[in-house]
Amino acid sequence: MATAEIDPLLFLRHAIAAGTAVVATATDAADAPQTPLPQARFLQFSGAAGESTPIPVDAPTRFLSNSAPVDLRSIYFAWLNREVAIHEYNAAATRLNEELATVGLSATVHKFAFVERLDLITWLEGASEESEYIKAAGGPGASGAAGAAGGTKLALSASASLARSRRGQLIDPRLAVIYSGERHTGDHNTVLRGMKPTDFTHVRKLAVPFMSQKQLGGGPAGITAPGGSMKPSASLPINSKGGPVRRPDPIILLSPSASSLLRMSNIKSFLEGGRYTPSDSSSTATMHFLTRTMKDIDPARPLRFILVEGPEHFKPDYWSRVVAVFTTGQAWQFKSYKWNTPGELFKHVQGVYVGWRGEPVPQGVKDWGHRVLNCNIDKWTDPAVPGADVNRFRDREVAETIWKTIEYNMRQKGWKRDSGASLGQ
């Protein structure tokens, strides 16, 4: 086949669609062994019938960059590195250029700009039929998808392979021809993020100071530590998304007593995972966030609970959001509360006491009546001791009992899908 009849760009695209081998070789012989790309002089394209078509790696293509045609070697190298980030691709291209110079070649690999590279890869994999960088075959009036004689032959073999690949079944050849002309649209990754999906979770950390500032009415989002890191503001967040508050985040108050079985260091694992672990006295956490779906309040959207040990930074409206108070039976815990006597407090808020199974309940908890839920868990045993985990499954039962009681109390106070408490505050 004459070189003038060959369209290298279409050959590569059809080979990718058909899944046929593309081998870099030092000669144009059909049985030439594969060689590294810096030493390669040809790319061998295998056909469905076993034939091989060699194309020089320095053959110009219809892909234009700054109005100049890009050679086949650069196109093929860009396809091989389609999964890597743009800076990794540029570094790899630089290394290849150095290797080309080492073997005595003056040719260099073209480094595609980000948009050019994205457009090329999208076209090669068949997600797009048009490209602003690809010159139409046969002149301005010809279609970019129309190939020459050699391209047509390879297109037929690609269609046959396509026919065999669909659902693992051989379909009618006429349907295969139709399928080969389909226009494939890209998914959200290729359209919005390029060829390699990008993880944007780090943006959330960068946005926290700005969101906090908006939530707190334009005040300072935090205090800058000597090392340059941001310390969160002492005030509690009102809403996780900022803007108008429709449903506030419910608050759970913990006991600051050292005798409390559930402290800031272990309350989250207990309420989320249903497993008790001893509290860590070295923990410095002052706030936790915990999400939980309350089916009888909002089955479609989880509520975010805020867990704190004291109301030192409360605003007046925060008390209407308190849905539970964990206590050890010591009344001094409530001195700084809005309702600073147990009798008044537990008229408005559900109390929770968690103690060891088999030990007596504090007299204070007994005196406060049914408004304080009395729960007992098995005593902690060193996991190294045989049989230590035998009864730990009961922890989940206790945690679920606490959640059911909190949910019932929230419904009684008027919590709804889009609003907080409206009764008894």
Side-chain angles (χ1 to χ4, degrees):
M1 184 183 299
T3 304
E5 298 178 355
I6 296 177
D7 186 338
L9 209 55
L10 271 180
F11 261 75
L12 180 58
R13 187 186 191 198
H14 291 155
I16 293 170
T20 55
V22 179
V23 180
T25 61
T27 66
D28 59 354
D31 57 350
Q34 185 173 359
T35 185
L37 194 57
Q39 289 83 33
R41 300 295 180 267
F42 296 88
L43 289 182
Q44 300 275 359
F45 292 87
S46 302
E51 74 279 5
S52 179
T53 303
I55 302 179
V57 293
D58 56 358
T61 67
R62 291 186 288 112
F63 193 96
L64 304 181
S65 178
N66 297 324
S67 302
V70 180
D71 60 280
L72 180 58
R73 181 194 287 111
S74 300
I75 299 288
Y76 182 61
F77 180 75
W79 171 255
L80 293 178
N81 291 272
R82 63 191 179 279
E83 298 291 341
V84 303
I86 188 67
H87 65 277
E88 297 175 3
Y89 159 75
N90 287 332
T94 300
R95 290 193 297 269
L96 179 56
N97 286 335
E98 293 173 353
E99 293 175 359
L100 290 173
T102 301
V103 298
L105 295 179
S106 60
T108 57
V109 171
H110 175 75
K111 296 181 181 179
F112 291 93
F114 176 81
V115 177
E116 291 179 339
R117 179 168 170 255
L118 174 61
D119 193 270
L120 171 65
I121 301 303
T122 304
W123 187 87
L124 284 175
E125 68 178 5
S128 173
E129 296 297 329
E130 299 177 355
S131 170
E132 61 177 301
Y133 300 100
I134 298 178
K135 179 182 178 182
S143 169
T152 302
K153 180 188 298 184
L154 194 56
L156 292 177
S157 65
S159 298
S161 299
L162 177 64
R164 295 184 181 89
S165 65
R166 288 184 176 268
R167 300 174 183 171
Q169 299 177 356
L170 184 63
I171 63 175
D172 191 297
R174 290 171 295 181
L175 287 178
V177 173
I178 296 173
Y179 288 148
S180 67
E182 287 181 337
R183 178 172 181 175
H184 301 282
T185 57
D187 58 15
H188 71 283
N189 285 329
T190 58
V191 173
L192 298 179
R193 303 181 180 181
M195 299 307 301
K196 185 177 183 181
T198 305
D199 183 8
F200 288 108
T201 54
H202 68 283
V203 178
R204 182 178 300 178
K205 296 180 181 179
L206 300 176
V208 166
F210 303 99
M211 294 175 66
S212 300
Q213 183 176 0
K214 185 175 182 180
Q215 293 162 5
L216 299 176
I223 302 173
T224 304
S229 60
M230 294 297 294
K231 293 184 177 180
S233 171
S235 297
L236 293 173
I238 296 176
N239 186 279
S240 62
K241 295 183 179 179
V245 177
R246 291 191 174 184
R247 186 181 70 186
D249 296 332
I251 299 172
I252 296 177
L253 281 170
L254 305 181
S255 171
S257 173
S259 63
S260 177
L261 300 185
L262 295 175
R263 302 289 302 276
M264 290 301 296
S265 61
N266 64 351
I267 183 66
K268 189 172 182 181
S269 61
F270 180 77
L271 292 180
E272 276 189 335
R275 186 175 178 85
Y276 174 80
T277 55
S279 60
D280 182 4
S281 59
S282 63
S283 174
T284 58
T286 59
M287 182 187 304
H288 281 312
F289 296 98
L290 186 152
T291 58
R292 171 87 178 186
T293 300
M294 299 295 195
K295 295 182 180 179
D296 292 339
I297 297 175
D298 188 352
R301 188 170 47 135
L303 283 85
R304 187 181 76 157
F305 290 82
I306 301 174
L307 284 66
V308 292
E309 278 191 346
E312 290 79 8
H313 303 295
F314 268 30
K315 294 180 179 180
D317 64 306
Y318 286 176
W319 284 105
S320 64
R321 297 158 53 188
V322 178
V323 296
V325 172
F326 281 74
T327 180
T328 59
Q330 299 167 301
W332 61 262
Q333 174 186 345
F334 317 128
K335 288 183 178 181
S336 60
Y337 286 18
K338 176 182 178 180
W339 307 287
N340 53 22
T341 62
E344 185 68 17
L345 172 66
F346 296 123
K347 288 180 181 178
H348 298 86
V349 183
Q350 175 66 51
V352 180
Y353 167 77
V354 178
W356 294 127
R357 194 182 307 276
E359 291 192 354
V361 178
Q363 187 60 43
V365 175
K366 294 180 180 179
D367 295 341
W368 297 337
H370 70 280
R371 290 296 298 168
V372 178
L373 175 66
N374 181 10
C375 299
N376 296 287
I377 60 176
D378 293 284
K379 289 187 178 181
W380 174 257
T381 306
D382 188 344
V385 177
D389 291 341
V390 171
N391 295 324
R392 286 267 70 93
F393 70 91
R394 296 180 181 177
D395 296 345
R396 180 174 292 277
E397 297 178 4
V398 175
E400 290 301 319
T401 299
I402 294 173
W403 278 120
K404 289 179 181 179
T405 304
I406 292 176
E407 183 174 11
Y408 175 80
N409 178 71
M410 292 177 67
R411 293 203 321 270
Q412 295 296 106
K413 296 298 182 182
W415 283 81
K416 297 180 180 179
R417 181 170 57 87
D418 55 357
S419 62
S422 59
L423 303 174
Q425 298 293 342

